[in-house]
Amino acid sequence: MSTTYFNDTPDTVIAATRWLMRRYQKTGCRKLVRRVEQHLRWMESRASNPQLADVCRRLSFEWRAVLRTPEVNNADPRPTFH
């Protein structure tokens, strides 16, 4: 498996946020909701250029769509190990 290396901190945070979103979709773990929202807030607070600000907006839209996904909301209520 190849590993992707990121040269910029925002790129890393974008990738981490997307990974957390996918993980939340698979597990429905409420703790991941907090993590995703922390990542989005971190990015928004550091959006020093228009491109990063645009990425923050798009990720926020993606996240809201993920939260409204019925499959995730009906996820198994048992604890999930990550």
Side-chain angles (χ1 to χ4, degrees):
M1 184 165 101
S2 65
T3 303
T4 304
Y5 293 97
F6 298 96
N7 296 326
D8 194 15
T9 301
D11 289 340
T12 303
V13 175
I14 291 166
T17 305
R18 285 202 168 122
W19 182 88
L20 287 168
M21 286 182 196
R22 284 190 307 274
R23 192 72 186 146
Y24 174 72
Q25 285 177 307
K26 291 179 182 179
T27 65
C29 178
R30 298 305 297 172
K31 288 182 182 181
L32 289 171
V33 171
R34 185 169 163 247
R35 294 286 180 230
V36 171
E37 291 171 356
Q38 283 177 339
H39 276 279
L40 290 171
R41 279 194 304 274
W42 184 90
M43 286 177 43
E44 287 174 31
S45 70
R46 286 158 179 78
S48 56
N49 65 47
Q51 290 173 331
L52 184 56
D54 184 49
V55 168
C56 290
R57 278 191 298 278
R58 284 187 282 130
L59 281 172
S60 292
F61 288 131
E62 273 182 51
W63 176 238
R64 283 185 234 133
V66 167
L67 283 177
R68 287 191 298 264
T69 304
E71 300 83 39
V72 174
N73 295 328
N74 295 326
D76 190 357
R78 292 178 291 180
T80 303
F81 298 100
H82 299 283

